[in-house]
Amino acid sequence: MKGGGAVNNNSNSTMPPVKKRWSWLVIAVLILVLLSMLVPLAFLYGVHKGYASEQRSTGSSRKDATLDTSSIRGGLSARVDGLLKDLGPTLPKDFGRTSIKKTENKTTGFAAPTQVLKPPPKKHIDVKSAEGTKTIQVVGENEKMCEVKFGSYCLWRRQHREKMKDFIVKKMKDQLYVARAYYPSIAKMPKLDHFSQEMKQNIQEFERILSESSSDPELPPQVEKKLLKMETTITKAKAATVDCNNVDKKLRQLVDLTEDEANFHMKQSAFLYQLAVQTTPKSLHCLSMRLTVEYFKTSPVDADQSDSLTNPELHHYVLFSNNVLPSSVVINSTVMHAKASGKQVFHVLTDKQSYFSMKMWFFTNSYKDATVQVLNIEDLNLQEGGHDRTHLAMPQELRVSFLSSSESRTEYISVFSDWHYALPKIFPTLKKIVVLDDDIVVQRDLSDLWSLDMGGKVIGALEFCAVKLGAIKSYLGNEKYDANSCTWMSGLNIIDLGQWRQRDITRSYQSLVKQRLSDTTTLGATMLTFQGLLVALDDTWVLSGLGHNYGISNEAINKAAVLHFNGNMKPWLELGISNYKSHWRKFLNNDNHFLTDCNVNP
C-alpha cells in the first residue's frame, strides 16, 4: 500500500509542471507564426511604399511631358518618338529578338541605346528621262539591294508608286502602334479594368477602320473624334504607373513583327510581279487559241515558196518565238523599213503548241512582198551525237546582279539557246543569216548587214561592255578567257554559216555544255564558244534595255536601227514601260478581227 501510495504521490506532484511546459510551448509557436506573418507584410509594405512613390514621381514627370498641347496633338511623346526612331527599319534583322531575349533574362530594366542608328546614306544618280530632259533620282542603299534581289520589280514599283493623301491614316497607325505597346501592361492592373476595356475597344475600332481604309478619302465620318479619343486614352496610359521595361519590350516586339510583315509583303509583291511578266496574258492566249481553231476549220494550203526559202542570194532572217504578236511586229517593222521587201525571207521557228496559230496568222496576213515560213522545231530531225533537241527551250534571258563595295547594279543579258546551234543543219544551203529575237523593233533598213566584212569571224553582235567576262567568272568555270573582254547579246546577230561549219562551232558548244551541267551553262558556254570569233557591231545598230531601263532618252531611241526590249517589262505586257510602248505598238495591225475579238490592246 505504501508503495502504491508513494507512486501516486509522485505523479500528483509532477503533473502541474508538465502542463506549464506545454502552455509555454504553444504560446511560443503562436508568437513565431505571428512574426512570420508580420515581418514579410511589413517588408512588402515598405517596399511597395517606396516603389509606389518612385513610380508616382516618374509618372508625374511623364504626365507633365505628355500634357503639353503640341505633344498631345502630335500623338507621340518625345520619348516614344525617339525610341521608334532608334528602332526603325535600319536595324539588323535579329536586333528585336535579341533585345527581347536579353530583357526577359534580366530582373532590372536594360539600358537605353547610347548610339543613335542612322538610316543608310542616299546617293543621287543623274539619269536622262524618256523626254530627253535630265532628272535626278534619289536611290538609297535599300533600293539598290532591292534591285539586286528582285530586279526590275523595284524599278517598276518606284515608277508606279501612287501619291496618296494619307496623313490621317498615318497618324492613326502611329497611335495604334503606341496603344498596342501600352495595352498589355494596363490590362494586368486590376484597378484599371474599366480603362483597359476602353483602351481595347479603341484599339479594335482603329484596327477595323484601317483594315477598310488605305487613304484619307476612304475614312469614315467623325474619324477626327476617334483620333481625339485615342489621344486621350494614350495620354492616360502614359500617365499610369506601368513598368517602362514592359512597354519597351512590347515596342520592340511590334517593330520586329512589322518588319517581318513588310518583308513578307515585299516578297509576295515581287512574286506576283514575276508571275505577271512570265505568264501569257489572257488576251494573247485567246489570240493563240482562236487562230488554232481557225486553222483546223479552214486547213489553209501554203503556196510553193521552195525557191525563195533555199536561195542563198536573198536576205534570210531567222526568228525563234512561240508568241504570235511579237513575231508579227518584228517581221512587220523589218519589212516596212526594207528597201527591197521582195528579197526578205523570214523563217519563224516555233514549238508544236504555237505552230498552228503561227501558221494561221502568217497565212492571213501579208507583209508586202516578203516571204514568211513557219517551222515546227519538233518535226525537224535534229538529233546529233545522241543529243535530242526536240525538247529544248526558247532563247534565254538572264538577269545578272552585281554587288560590291563600290557599285551594285542589275543587267539583263539575252543569249542563244541550244536551238541556235542547230542552225547550220536546219538551213544547209544558206551562207549567211540574220538572227532576230522576238522582243525587238526594227527602225531602219538592215540590208547593210549583208555587206558587212566579217574578216573570217563567225558572228556579228553588239558588245555589252557594261558586263565584262571577269564580272561573270562564276559562269565561266575554269576555262581560259580574257577577263577584260566584253560580253555580247542576242537580239540582232549576223552569222556566217560557212565559217560556223568550218570551225565546227556546234561541237565546241556541246563539249562545253557537257563539262558544265548547271543553270549557268547557256551563258558561260555561249561566251566561251564565240571567244575571239565575234565582230562588234556599231552602237547605232542596237539600243538595248527598253524592257527594264526607265532612263533612255528619245534622242537615243530615234538614232538606233533596232530597239531591244530586253528585260522583264515587255511591250506587249500591261507592266511594260509606257514611254516605250508606242514604238512597238505602231507596227500592230489593230484592224485585224482576231485582235479585236480577243481585246488585244497592249
Side-chain angles (χ1 to χ4, degrees), residues 228-245:
L228 292 175
K229 187 178 179 181
M230 179 62 88
E231 285 180 1
T232 304
T233 302
I234 292 175
T235 302
K236 291 180 181 179
K238 291 177 180 179
T241 55
V242 297
D243 189 355
C244 292
N245 290 332

Side-chain angles (χ1 to χ4, degrees), residues 384-385 387 389 418 421 476 478-479 503-518 521-522 524-526 528-530:
E384 181 178 347
H387 186 63
R389 296 182 181 276
D418 290 350
Y421 296 91
L476 304 176
N478 297 324
E479 301 293 329
R503 297 176 182 272
D504 204 356
I505 297 297
T506 302
R507 189 171 298 277
S508 300
Y509 173 78
Q510 290 176 355
S511 64
L512 288 170
V513 169
K514 290 179 181 179
Q515 294 174 17
R516 292 176 52 81
L517 297 177
S518 66
T521 294
T522 304
T526 298
L528 293 173
T529 298
F530 292 99

